[in-house]
C-alpha cells in the first residue's frame, strides 16, 4: 500500500510529545512491512534540521487556495532517519511556521487549517494518490472533511482516511472564519451537529468531530482508552459522536521504537544488558547514583520521568516521592512542566531537598538522562489521572524496571499487577492501583518496595517477566495495516 502520514510532529525532527514518536515509529514499521510511506510536516523554523538528511526543494511553487487568493508555498524533501518527509513552507505575512516554537500561538487553528489544505493541495498537484492518508490529532483533523468535500471532486476520488486521536483534551475548536479560509464555506451546512458543529458551543466548529464524521476509520491509542472515551467523561464531549460512528472506531495500542529503546545497544547507558544478563543492570544503577550524587545504599530507586502536568497526577508524584523516602527507597524525578504553578512548586521542592542524599529532582528535558534513569532505576511510577496510552511504562518494562501505574487507559492495557490480576502469575509485570488518591499509590509502593527488600528473587522474576513483553511496533503495525486494507476496499 501507499500511505501518506500528515502530522504536526515526527520524532526526532519535530518532537513535542508522544505523537512524534508514534508518527515516526509507525511509519518505520510500515516501511519494514513493505509499504510505501511518506510523511508530510510543516516546515517549522525551530525544527531539528540536524536530523534531516539531504534536505532539498521538491516543489518550488505550490499555490494553495486560501480564502479569495492563493498562498505560495515551497515544499522541501528530506530523509528523517530513513523516513521520506516533505516539509511545507508557506510564504505569507502570517509566517505560520516560521516561529520560535511549535505551538502556543493565538492563531493555532488557522495555522493548522492551512497546513491541512496545503498538504492536500500538494498531493493533488504532484499527482500523488496514496491509498490511505493517515492523519493525527486535531492539527490535521480537517484533512478528512476537506478531502471528501472538496478534493474528492478535483481528482482524488479513491483516497481513504484513517484518523488517530492521541489526546481528546485538544479537539480544535474554531469559528466560521476557518470555513471561509479553507474554501469549505457554507456555514449552515458545516455547523450541522452531523458534520463539524460542536455539540456544546453552537457558534463553533470542532475539527476532531469533523475527522470522526468524515474519516473512513478513527482510532485512539489503546483499547482501554477507546472504551473510556465512549463510556466516560474522558471523551471530552465526543462520546455521542463516537457512539454514532462506533462501527468505524477502535483502539490500537501504541508501540515504542525498539531500536531507540534497547538496553543491549543504548548509547546513553554505560552498561548494556538483556534479560539473560539482568545483573548487569545494577552497574547502571551505580552510574545513575554517581551522576545524581545519590548515596550508595541498599535501597531501591523509584523514578518518575515525564511531563509535570496535572494529567500526570502531580499530587501523587509528590506524595510518592515522600512516601518512598520514608519507606526505605530513593527517589529520582526527571520532569518538565508547562504550568507555572507546578513548575514553581517543583523548583521549591528541589531546593528544599537539595541536600537529601536519597533524592534528586532534575527539572527540564534531558533525553540522555531519561535513558540512564530507565536503565538504572528499580521502579518507575506513572500515576496519571488519564493516560490515552503512555510510553513511559512500556519503556520501563523494556529496561527491566518495574512499573507502578494507575489502572487507566493504556496503562491498564500494558501493566498487570503482581498480586491481583486475571493474568497467569508468569505474565504479571508490575503494580497497579485503581483510585487516584494517596491510599492507592501508597498500597502499590508499599508492596513494591516491600518485595524489593524482602523477596529479591521474586522482584527479579518480575523484572524479567516485564522484559519479555513485546511492546514494539510489530503488532500495532500489523493492526494498522489491517485497518488500511479494510478501508481501502470500502
Ligand atoms: P506524553 O505524550 O503524555 O507526554 P508519553 O508517556 O506518551 O507521555 O510519552 C512521554 C515520552 O517523553 C517518553 O518517551 C518519556 O521518556 C519522554 N519524556 C517526558 N518528559 C521527559 C523529560 N523531562 N526528559 C526526557 N524525556 C522525557
Amino acid at each position: 500500500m501507499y500511505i501518506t502520514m500528515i502530522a504536526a510532529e515526527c520524532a526526532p525532527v519535530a518532537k513535542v510529545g508522544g505523537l512524534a514518536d508514534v508518527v515516526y515509529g509507525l511509519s518505520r514499521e510500515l516501511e519494514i512491512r513493505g509499504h510505501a510511506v511518506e510523511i508530510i510536516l510543516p516546515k517549522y523554523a525551530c525544527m531539528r534540521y540536524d536530523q534531516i538528511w539531504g534536505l532539498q526543494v521538491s516543489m518550488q511553487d505550490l499555490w494553495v487556495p486560501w480564502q479569495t487568493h492563493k498562498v505560495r508555498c515551497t515544499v522541501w524533501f528530506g530523509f528523517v532517519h530513513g523516513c521520506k518527509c516533505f516539509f511545507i513552507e508557506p510564504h505569507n505575512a502570517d509566517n505560520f511556521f516560521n516561529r520560535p516554537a511549535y505551538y502556543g500561538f493565538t492563531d493555532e487553528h488557522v495555522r493548522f487549517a492551512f497546513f491541512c489544505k496545503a498538504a492536500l493541495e500538494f498531493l493533488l498537484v504532484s499527482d500523488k494518490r496514496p491509498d490511505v492518508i493517515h492523519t493525527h490529532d486535531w492539527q490535521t483533523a480537517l484533512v478528512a472533511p476537506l478531502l471528501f468535500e472538496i478534493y474528492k471532486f478535483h481528482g482524488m476520488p479513491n483516497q481513504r482516511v484513517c484518523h488517530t486521536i492521541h489526546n481528546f483534551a485538544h479537539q480544535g475548536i474554531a469559528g466560521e472564519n476557518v470555513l471561509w479560509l479553507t474554501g469549505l464555506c457554507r456555514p449552515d451546512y458545516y455547523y450541522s451537529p452531523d458534520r463539524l458543529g460542536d455539540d456544546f458551543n453552537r457558534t463553533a466548529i470542532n475539527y476532531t468531530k469533523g475527522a470522526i464524521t468524515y474519516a473512513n476509520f478513527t482510532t485512539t491509542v489503546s483499547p482501554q482508552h477507546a472504551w473510556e472515551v465512549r463510556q466516560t467523561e474522558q471523551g471530552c464531549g465526543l462520546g455521542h459522536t463516537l457512539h454514532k460512528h462506533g462501527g468505524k472506531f477502535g483502539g490500537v495500542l501504541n508501540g515504542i521504537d525498539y531500536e531507540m529503546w534497547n538496553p543491549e545497544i543504548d548509547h546513553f547507558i554505560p552498561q548494556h544488558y538483556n534479560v539473560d544478563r539482568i545483573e548487569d543492570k545494577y552497574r547502571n544503577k551505580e552510574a545513575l547514583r554517581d551522576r545524581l550524587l545519590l548515596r550508595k545504599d541498599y535501597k531501591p530507586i523509584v523514578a518518575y520521568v515525564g511531563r509535570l502536568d496535572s494529567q500526570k497526577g502531580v499530587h501523587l508524584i509528590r506524595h510518592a516521592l515522600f512516601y518512598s523516602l520514608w519507606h526505605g527507597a530513593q527517589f529520582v524525578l526527571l520532569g518538565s512542566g508547562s504550568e507555572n504553578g507546578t513548575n514553581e512548586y517543583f523548583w521549591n521542592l528541589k531546593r528544599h531537598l537539595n541536600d537529601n542524599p536519597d533524592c534528586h529532582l532534575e527539572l527540564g528535558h534531558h533525553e540522555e538522562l531519561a535513558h540512564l534513569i530507565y536503565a538504572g532505576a528499580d521502579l518507575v511510577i506513572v500515576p496519571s489521572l488519564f493516560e490515552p496510552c503512555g510510553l513511559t511504562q512500556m519503556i520501563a518494562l523494556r529496561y527491566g524496571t518495574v512499573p507502578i501505574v494507575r489502572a487507566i487507559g493504556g496503562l491498564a492495557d500494558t501493566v498487570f499487577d503482581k498480586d491481583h490480576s486475571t493474568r497467569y502469575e508468569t505474565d504479571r509485570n508490575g503494580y497497579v492501583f485503581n483510585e487516584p488518591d494517596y491510599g492507592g499509590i501508597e498500597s502499590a509502593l508499599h508492596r513494591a518496595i516491600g518485595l524489593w527488600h524482602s523477596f529479591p528473587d521474586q522482584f527479579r522474576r518480575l523484572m524479567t517477566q516485564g522484559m519479555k513483553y513485546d511492546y514494539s511496533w510489530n503488532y500495532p503495525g500489523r493492526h494498522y495495516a489491517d485497518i488500511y486494507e479494510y478501508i481501502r476496499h470500502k
Side-chain angles (χ1 to χ4, degrees):
M1 278 179 283
Y2 172 18
I3 299 136
T4 298
M5 300 272 169
I6 305 181
E9 296 179 31
C10 175
V13 66
K15 174 171 172 172
V16 175
L19 165 66
D21 293 321
V22 172
V23 171
Y24 177 78
L26 177 59
S27 302
R28 276 301 285 160
E29 177 65 29
L30 291 166
E31 277 189 336
I32 290 166
R33 292 179 167 275
H35 303 291
V37 184
E38 288 172 347
I39 304 172
I40 304 182
L41 298 161
K43 186 167 180 288
Y44 301 102
C46 57
M47 278 189 316
R48 293 277 308 269
Y49 283 88
D50 59 324
Q51 300 293 331
I52 310 173
W53 280 261
L55 187 64
Q56 56 180 283
V57 171
S58 165
M59 186 181 282
Q60 186 71 54
D61 294 317
L62 170 72
W63 291 95
V64 180
W66 194 236
Q67 200 160 18
T68 50
H69 60 286
K70 290 188 173 187
V71 173
R72 187 173 76 84
C73 297
T74 301
V75 184
W76 297 75
F77 173 81
F79 287 96
V80 173
H81 291 258
C83 282
K84 291 179 184 167
C85 292
F86 291 92
F87 301 93
I88 296 182
E89 178 186 24
H91 304 284
N92 63 343
D94 292 314
N95 256 336
F96 285 136
F97 305 112
N98 191 11
R99 300 181 186 185
Y102 294 109
Y103 306 125
F105 304 97
T106 48
D107 59 348
E108 294 295 75
H109 303 99
V110 175
R111 295 169 79 207
F112 287 102
F114 179 83
F115 174 57
C116 294
K117 180 92 183 173
L120 283 170
E121 192 67 26
F122 172 59
L123 292 178
L124 180 72
V125 302
S126 58
D127 267 338
K128 290 179 181 291
R129 295 295 182 270
D131 297 304
V132 174
I133 298 173
H134 193 157
T135 54
H136 299 264
D137 262 353
W138 74 267
Q139 295 94 333
T140 53
L142 272 189
V143 166
L146 285 167
L147 175 69
F148 294 115
E149 292 286 0
I150 298 178
Y151 285 85
K152 177 179 169 179
F153 305 104
H154 292 183
M156 296 178 72
N158 300 320
Q159 279 53 56
R160 299 287 180 265
V161 177
C162 174
H163 182 73
T164 297
I165 304 172
H166 300 253
N167 192 337
F168 277 80
H170 304 285
Q171 299 180 4
I173 307 293
E176 187 181 322
N177 66 325
V178 168
L179 296 177
W180 296 107
L181 287 167
T182 53
L184 287 167
C185 308
R186 295 191 292 164
D188 290 345
Y189 179 75
Y190 290 109
Y191 266 85
S192 155
D194 291 337
R195 295 189 181 84
L196 277 79
D198 190 80
D199 286 330
F200 300 92
N201 180 353
R202 294 289 176 201
T203 62
I205 57 164
N206 183 322
Y207 293 5
T208 301
K209 185 175 188 188
I212 299 168
T213 308
Y214 282 89
N216 303 94
F217 207 92
T218 303
T219 67
T220 189
V221 291
S222 68
Q224 171 72 17
H225 197 56
W227 181 89
E228 289 164 354
V229 292
R230 267 178 300 188
Q231 308 295 344
T232 74
E233 76 296 339
Q234 287 194 49
C236 301
L238 287 175
H240 172 69
T241 309
L242 292 169
H243 269 294
K244 217 162 107 188
H245 297 279
K248 55 178 183 129
F249 174 68
V252 182
L253 191 69
N254 281 340
I256 55 168
D257 188 333
Y258 265 33
E259 280 173 30
M260 183 188 294
W261 299 109
N262 182 355
E264 284 186 279
I265 53 168
D266 193 325
H267 299 305
F268 297 128
I269 63 174
Q271 177 65 50
H272 294 153
Y273 61 98
N274 59 28
V275 70
D276 300 318
R277 286 188 290 116
I278 202 162
E279 56 284 352
D280 287 350
K281 176 174 164 60
Y282 292 103
R283 293 245 216 111
N284 295 305
K285 185 170 178 175
E286 295 294 290
L288 180 63
R289 282 177 163 154
D290 287 340
R291 163 105 187 243
L292 303 181
L293 304 177
L294 292 178
R295 168 165 51 195
K296 292 194 175 150
D297 206 349
Y298 186 69
K299 285 180 176 178
I301 298 180
V302 181
Y304 174 79
V305 179
R307 290 184 295 121
L308 294 171
D309 185 290
S310 45
Q311 173 201 337
K312 302 289 178 184
V314 173
H315 64 299
L316 299 178
I317 297 168
R318 182 189 54 197
H319 191 73
L321 185 156
F322 287 109
Y323 185 90
S324 304
L325 296 182
W326 290 329
H327 292 84
Q330 297 182 316
F331 197 94
V332 169
L333 178 143
L334 170 60
S336 46
S338 50
E339 296 158 10
N340 279 344
T342 315
N343 268 338
E344 203 179 306
Y345 176 81
F346 278 95
W347 274 108
N348 283 333
L349 195 61
K350 181 178 166 67
R351 279 190 280 270
H352 175 67
L353 294 166
N354 202 28
D355 297 329
N356 190 320
D358 285 327
C359 179
H360 184 90
L361 279 74
E362 188 73 32
L363 303 176
H365 193 97
H366 298 283
E367 195 67 32
E368 187 192 336
L369 180 59
H371 285 248
L372 184 59
I373 293 176
Y374 288 120
D378 298 284
L379 294 152
V380 155
I381 56 160
V382 197
S384 304
L385 303 187
F386 71 92
E387 193 60 81
C389 178
L391 303 178
T392 324
Q393 80 284 8
M394 296 198 262
I395 300 171
L397 288 167
R398 177 91 165 126
Y399 282 75
T401 306
V402 175
I404 299 178
V405 307
R406 177 162 175 244
I408 195 90
L411 301 173
D413 282 326
T414 48
V415 182
F416 310 104
D417 191 274
K418 179 192 171 294
D419 304 313
H420 312 285
S421 170
T422 50
R423 296 248 166 170
Y424 289 121
E425 227 167 309
T426 48
D427 290 341
R428 300 178 185 179
N429 57 10
Y431 289 92
V432 181
F433 61 97
N434 288 317
E435 298 304 323
D437 54 25
Y438 294 161
I441 194 154
E442 276 184 16
S443 77
L445 274 168
H446 174 74
R447 290 186 292 132
I449 296 173
L451 191 78
W452 190 93
H453 276 291
S454 309
F455 302 98
D457 287 350
Q458 285 188 35
F459 191 87
R460 200 180 154 112
R461 205 176 316 137
L462 199 57
M463 291 162 70
T464 53
Q465 282 172 200
M467 284 184 95
K468 285 179 185 156
Y469 269 83
D470 179 1
Y471 288 130
S472 67
W473 275 103
N474 181 19
Y475 179 73
R478 193 167 2 130
H479 198 152
Y480 272 113
D482 287 346
I483 291 173
Y484 299 159
E485 196 64 57
Y486 167 71
I487 59 178
R488 214 177 129 194
H489 299 293
K490 281 191 80 181

